[in-house]
Amino acid sequence: MSSSWWSEVQMGPPDPILGVSEAYKRDTNPKKINLGVGAYRDDQGKPYVLSCVRKAEAQIAAKKLDKEYLAIGGLGDFTKACAKLALGDDNEVIKSGRNITVQTISGTGSLRIGANFLSRFHTEARDVYLPKPSWGNHTPIFRDAGMQLKAYTYYDPKTCGFDFQGALNDISKIPEKSVIMLHACAHNPTGVDPRPEQWKEIADLVKKRNLLVFFDMAYQGFASGDIDRDAWAVRYFIEQGHNIVLSQSFAKNMGLYGERVGGFTVVCKDAEEAKRVESQLKILIRPIYSNPPMNGARIAATILNTPDLYKEWLGEVHGMANRIITMRELLVANLKKEGSTRNWKHVIDQIGMFCFTGLKPEQVERLTKEFSIYMTKDGRISMAGVTSGNVGYLAQGIHAVTK
Amino acid sequence: MYLLLLFVSPPPICCSSWWGGVQMGPPDPILGVSEAFKRDTSPKKMNLGVGAYRDDHGKPFVLDCVRKAEALISSKQLDKEYLAIGGLGDFTKSCALLALGADSEVLKSGRNITVQTISGTGSLCIGANFLSRFHSASRDVYLPKPSWGNHTPIFRDAGMQLKAYRYYDPSTCGFDFNGALDDISKMPEKSVIMLHACAHNPTGVDPKPEQWKEIADLVKKRDLLVFFDMAYQGFASGDIDRDAWAVRHFIEQGHNIVLSQSFAKNMGLYGERVGGFTVVCNDAEEVKRVESQLKILIRPIYSNPPMNGARIAATILNTPDLYKIWLGEVHGMANRIIKMREQLAANLKSEGSTHNWQHVIDQIGMFCFTGLKPEQVERLTKEFSVYMTKDGRISMAGVTSGNVGYLAHGIHAVTK
């Protein structure tokens, strides 16, 4: 028998984010709370399948469609609507046909296609600048694609807010043509977003520095509850002449998580360039997975293209965002009630799924060990895991480890 | 007469184009055939390009067991939470069981790790990347000559080097057994050898069992890492155990293989993207190490795989009634293909062709390597609107009792 092929393969570390859920599952404490993964929960702590999704599924099932391969770039009805959602209905980019939008395997798949595309065709620079901190998976995505990771100041731990001056300072030093990653809304993991006037200055500076902008928009609609408001930064940059690349995910805002629905867009100079870029995207995608999964894209396309369902969806996204905002307010109120004298305003100021509590690793560890409250080591909590039923216990625990 | 003064908004002040240097890429050779077919207006046109099964009316076929499984799943009103990075457990277990067989020692020992993948391509890509990262003993992957076109960019983009071993014999339209053995005997130790488990794509030419035995022996002597691509289990002979025979024989002989499986064809799940990637390890401890690294590799590609198709496949594989229906439907699809092969050969005879078309019947699976030359293929397309890939490969699935006569007519016309 051949000596083992894999004897040198080391045990790898568990995924920091998904590892939290695994530890939570093993805990037997009835009061345990999982504030790890960013998946929305209703006020009973249960996964939530949107009503518009169920209706769309029923419509699709009734049509008894076949299961033939999609095109390499995905379902046309989906990609068109996906671009419209991000850019706006009457956007000049779409009218000119100067975007290419392909269907991807949710946000991760989109980022990876983008990273690979940059690696292959953006030869002027290998450097991708991520905000500090950024979503943990950004790093291996770009690294495995052959890019070099760098960072710009973003989060200010003193204020638990945006370090605007620090960001501008770092961005002003980024070498020309480098890639800069911007979170379009609901920054992950901090929940800290620039204000519109700050975005304007950033857009100006990025143009001066001649940087290639990569927007990651995983939470459109989920941040403020308004899909146009959440896309404002993306649209502003495009109006200012930035030919961006953009990743979109429908995991959170449509609750399509495991169906893996996303899009990757390259804003090109013109329609002719879009055709060249499209051909190369297809060549890149074909040896990774040939063509994308159909089910989720059909659901998303049905919702986006059916006025009644679209309206219903907007309402449900608004509802999810509102529950999160309510939980933020409840958490702060409860912390006050517990007697905490710390400033918890950032819990309300931050936006989206996550809250960067400001808790230190030792405090996080105590929260987990003594209270069975699970979160990532950086003190990030998923507000989606907070309910009116457990917010009191959460406040109790946080106060206990911070007083 | 009024002069209409149109206010032309100035073009956006773009940063100079980022993608000025991006060239137009060539169209995919296989998918490009379908695009050309779509543009053709001839009522007699035939698409023998892509390997997607068609019924005898030329229509896509969604399996009855699939529809039943979907109804079952829908009634459960399941949520859409993320699957694990390695996919749906009910799927991966039954996927491995299907390939390896119920009495597999590998399964009993727990010495396989099987992850859900994005159909066959996704499985091969994960495998190629895993080899690239962890099989440091060699960069070389040996593909049979010819092989599926997409194998090459899959391994190349993963950082491996492509090489080839003789496989197809154009003079017989069959297997070049001695040529293959000769080339395999010269492969450097620890190289990776790609083997098509059954229904070789694009030729339809499979080794006979006694030939597989000699290949397995030689591969062991050369100490090669075997990568099996099984995209057509059940679809080749109509019998899922028979089609998995080579995979199981190699494992019994002690080869710790890596294996890609697809459910695109045998379950008709094409666009749902259902597949599996398996590494047969030394023992259960090694499995844990390999599994951890597969997850680290997968997470920055797509995080976790799509749920819908895996749920369908798992339901079918794990529900005895549905499993039985499925076996019958796979058998039916394979039989229709075999019948079309027989009819094509018979029609070519009645057209008066004096060529030897035995290979059309001897070859197995979705594809037939006709032996047609590029110029003949071009004539078939231009004069008869019959579409196939330039290498003379036709998808038998695109042949029906309604068009087999026309196909024979065209093939005879360009080969007489």
Side-chain angles (χ1 to χ4, degrees):
Chain A
M1 213 189 99
S2 324
S3 62
S4 164
W5 297 114
W6 315 114
S7 46
E8 300 306 307
V9 174
Q10 303 295 313
M11 189 66 156
D15 182 278
I17 298 174
L18 305 178
V20 168
S21 287
E22 284 166 16
Y24 167 84
K25 280 199 199 111
R26 292 192 292 268
D27 191 322
T28 51
N29 183 343
K31 293 189 136 189
K32 64 180 182 177
I33 309 179
N34 187 358
L35 303 179
V37 186
Y40 183 79
R41 296 285 177 266
D42 63 17
D43 201 50
Q44 273 78 47
K46 297 269 171 280
Y48 171 59
V49 178
L50 278 63
S51 162
C52 62
V53 167
R54 290 292 186 219
K55 291 191 163 93
E57 287 183 308
Q59 273 184 27
I60 291 162
K63 288 185 188 169
K64 292 266 181 260
L65 300 167
D66 66 37
K67 296 193 182 294
E68 294 298 290
Y69 293 126
L70 293 180
I72 300 176
L75 184 67
D77 283 349
F78 168 72
T79 56
K80 285 192 193 71
C82 175
K84 274 207 171 129
L85 179 69
L87 271 36
D89 267 344
D90 47 4
N91 189 283
E92 165 272 324
V93 165
I94 296 179
K95 289 206 175 95
S96 324
R98 65 185 186 91
N99 67 297
I100 170 62
T101 300
V102 293
Q103 178 190 336
T104 58
I105 302 167
S106 209
T108 302
S110 176
L111 290 159
R112 183 54 180 268
I113 295 301
N116 282 338
F117 187 77
L118 291 175
S119 186
R120 186 172 283 185
F121 294 105
H122 184 58
T123 42
E124 296 99 325
R126 299 286 78 194
D127 294 335
V128 178
Y129 284 77
L130 302 180
K132 214 182 327 183
S134 193
W135 181 44
N137 207 20
H138 276 149
T139 294
I141 289 172
F142 284 101
R143 192 190 54 214
D144 284 5
M147 301 298 283
Q148 297 266 45
L149 275 310
K150 295 203 155 60
Y152 60 93
T153 303
Y154 187 85
Y155 179 70
D156 185 347
K158 294 195 304 300
T159 61
C160 294
F162 183 37
D163 185 350
F164 184 42
Q165 290 310 319
L168 290 180
N169 199 20
D170 282 355
I171 294 173
S172 69
K173 297 184 185 124
I174 297 180
E176 287 205 359
K177 302 194 198 282
S178 303
V179 181
I180 180 168
M181 165 72 62
L182 301 170
H183 295 219
C185 59
H187 180 272
N188 180 358
T190 68
V192 167
D193 286 352
R195 287 193 299 277
E197 55 272 25
Q198 293 171 325
W199 272 126
K200 287 179 176 175
E201 279 201 58
I202 294 167
D204 261 354
L205 179 57
V206 164
K207 193 191 291 188
K208 275 198 190 68
R209 297 302 307 146
N210 197 16
L211 307 178
L212 200 170
V213 173
F214 197 144
F215 262 114
D216 184 356
M217 185 154 70
Y219 299 98
Q220 187 186 5
F222 206 93
S224 68
D226 180 320
I227 54 132
D228 293 309
R229 194 162 147 189
D230 288 348
W232 184 84
V234 168
R235 297 175 190 180
Y236 179 78
F237 269 66
I238 291 175
E239 276 164 36
Q240 294 302 301
H242 294 274
N243 282 352
I244 68 168
V245 300
L246 165 70
S247 283
Q248 291 170 262
S249 168
F250 290 83
K252 281 83 170 176
N253 62 8
M254 272 193 192
L256 290 176
Y257 304 99
E259 300 276 2
R260 318 310 289 130
V261 191
F264 177 68
T265 293
V266 182
V267 177
C268 301
K269 200 169 70 146
D270 51 39
E272 185 273 337
E273 181 161 280
K275 289 261 153 274
R276 285 184 282 114
V277 167
E278 179 183 23
S279 73
Q280 294 296 345
L281 281 170
K282 287 158 76 169
I283 287 171
L284 197 146
I285 289 171
R286 173 68 156 145
I288 305 179
Y289 53 83
S290 281
N291 45 75
M294 62 186 2
N295 199 59
R298 281 175 167 171
I299 295 171
T302 302
I303 292 169
L304 293 172
N305 295 317
T306 309
D308 286 349
L309 295 183
Y310 186 73
K311 196 166 167 222
E312 193 172 357
W313 175 56
L314 292 183
E316 290 190 274
V317 169
H318 191 81
M320 289 192 284
N322 265 4
R323 195 186 87 68
I324 301 281
I325 289 165
T326 302
M327 288 305 106
R328 291 179 179 278
E329 291 162 356
L330 270 182
L331 178 56
V332 171
N334 274 272
L335 283 161
K336 265 207 177 90
K337 246 194 332 195
E338 286 287 324
S340 179
T341 52
R342 287 171 61 137
N343 179 1
W344 294 104
K345 185 158 186 304
H346 56 281
V347 171
I348 295 179
D349 290 344
Q350 290 166 8
I351 193 169
M353 185 91 70
F354 300 110
C355 170
F356 232 38
T357 54
L359 290 172
K360 306 200 182 333
E362 322 82 62
Q363 296 167 322
V364 171
E365 202 174 337
R366 279 190 65 197
L367 254 181
T368 303
K369 283 206 160 77
E370 298 172 30
F371 294 86
S372 292
I373 295 172
Y374 289 81
M375 66 185 66
T376 44
K377 273 198 295 269
D378 53 9
R380 180 193 88 162
I381 60 175
S382 168
M383 293 307 303
V386 183
T387 68
S388 45
N390 65 25
V391 66
Y393 179 69
L394 175 59
Q396 207 185 18
I398 292 178
H399 176 57
V401 306
T402 55
K403 61 184 176 194
Chain B
M1 200 174 124
Y2 298 91
L3 261 178
L4 266 166
L5 278 173
L6 295 165
F7 175 72
V8 180
S9 59
I13 309 155
C14 303
C15 312
S16 67
S17 161
W18 295 114
W19 314 114
V22 173
Q23 304 294 316
M24 189 64 151
D28 184 279
I30 298 173
L31 304 177
V33 168
S34 286
E35 285 167 16
F37 169 83
K38 280 200 200 109
R39 292 192 292 266
D40 190 320
T41 51
S42 162
K44 296 191 135 184
K45 65 180 182 177
M46 288 175 68
N47 187 0
L48 304 179
V50 186
Y53 182 80
R54 295 283 177 268
D55 65 16
D56 200 48
H57 306 284
K59 296 272 172 274
F61 173 57
V62 178
L63 277 63
D64 184 50
C65 62
V66 167
R67 288 294 186 219
K68 289 184 156 83
E70 289 184 306
L72 270 178
I73 291 162
S74 170
S75 66
K76 292 184 187 170
Q77 295 288 281
L78 301 166
D79 65 36
K80 294 192 184 294
E81 293 299 289
Y82 292 126
L83 293 179
I85 299 176
L88 183 66
D90 283 349
F91 168 72
T92 57
K93 285 193 193 71
S94 52
C95 176
L97 183 62
L98 181 69
L100 273 36
D103 48 2
S104 162
E105 165 274 326
V106 166
L107 292 177
K108 294 199 174 100
S109 321
R111 64 183 189 93
N112 67 298
I113 170 60
T114 300
V115 293
Q116 179 190 336
T117 57
I118 302 167
S119 209
T121 302
S123 177
L124 291 160
C125 179
I126 294 304
N129 277 304
F130 187 77
L131 292 175
S132 185
R133 187 172 282 186
F134 293 105
H135 185 58
S136 36
S138 174
R139 301 286 77 196
D140 293 336
V141 177
Y142 284 80
L143 301 180
K145 215 181 327 183
S147 195
W148 181 44
N150 207 20
H151 277 149
T152 295
I154 288 171
F155 285 100
R156 193 189 54 213
D157 284 6
M160 302 298 283
Q161 297 267 45
L162 273 311
K163 294 200 153 64
Y165 60 94
R166 270 172 288 167
Y167 189 85
Y168 178 71
D169 185 348
S171 58
T172 61
C173 293
F175 183 37
D176 183 356
F177 183 43
N178 286 316
L181 290 179
D182 194 27
D183 284 354
I184 294 172
S185 69
K186 297 182 180 123
M187 287 180 193
E189 288 201 355
K190 308 202 193 282
S191 304
V192 180
I193 180 168
M194 164 72 63
L195 301 169
H196 295 219
C198 61
H200 179 272
N201 181 359
T203 68
V205 167
D206 286 351
K208 292 194 288 283
E210 55 272 23
Q211 293 172 324
W212 272 126
K213 286 177 176 174
E214 279 200 57
I215 293 169
D217 263 354
L218 180 57
V219 164
K220 194 192 293 189
K221 275 201 189 65
R222 297 304 305 147
D223 197 17
L224 307 175
L225 198 171
V226 174
F227 197 143
F228 262 113
D229 184 355
M230 186 156 68
Y232 299 97
Q233 186 185 6
F235 206 95
S237 69
D239 181 318
I240 53 132
D241 294 309
R242 191 161 150 191
D243 288 350
W245 183 86
V247 168
R248 297 175 188 180
H249 175 76
F250 270 67
I251 291 175
E252 278 162 33
Q253 296 300 304
H255 294 273
N256 282 353
I257 67 168
V258 300
L259 165 70
S260 283
Q261 289 169 263
S262 168
F263 290 84
K265 282 82 173 176
N266 61 9
M267 273 194 193
L269 291 176
Y270 305 98
E272 299 279 359
R273 317 311 288 130
V274 191
F277 177 67
T278 292
V279 182
V280 176
C281 300
N282 232 9
D283 51 41
E285 185 276 335
E286 183 161 280
V287 160
K288 293 261 152 274
R289 288 183 281 112
V290 168
E291 178 181 25
S292 73
Q293 294 296 347
L294 281 170
K295 285 158 78 168
I296 286 170
L297 200 144
I298 290 171
R299 173 71 157 143
I301 304 180
Y302 52 84
S303 280
N304 45 75
M307 62 184 2
N308 199 59
R311 282 175 167 171
I312 295 171
T315 302
I316 292 169
L317 294 171
N318 295 316
T319 310
D321 287 349
L322 295 186
Y323 186 73
K324 196 160 168 225
I325 293 175
W326 175 55
L327 291 183
E329 295 191 281
V330 169
H331 192 81
M333 288 192 285
N335 267 4
R336 196 185 86 68
I337 300 283
I338 289 165
K339 205 179 295 177
M340 289 304 105
R341 290 179 178 280
E342 290 162 359
Q343 283 191 18
L344 178 56
N347 273 273
L348 283 162
K349 253 207 181 96
S350 43
E351 283 284 328
S353 178
T354 51
H355 287 288
N356 179 359
W357 295 106
Q358 181 61 31
H359 57 281
V360 171
I361 295 178
D362 290 344
Q363 289 168 9
I364 192 169
M366 184 91 72
F367 300 110
C368 170
F369 230 39
T370 53
L372 290 172
K373 303 193 183 342
E375 322 81 62
Q376 295 168 323
V377 170
E378 204 177 332
R379 280 191 64 197
L380 251 181
T381 304
K382 282 205 161 76
E383 297 174 31
F384 294 89
S385 291
V386 173
Y387 289 79
M388 65 185 70
T389 44
K390 273 197 295 272
D391 54 8
R393 182 194 87 162
I394 59 176
S395 168
M396 291 309 301
V399 183
T400 68
S401 43
N403 65 25
V404 66
Y406 179 72
L407 176 59
H409 181 72
I411 290 179
H412 176 58
V414 305
T415 57
K416 62 186 176 190

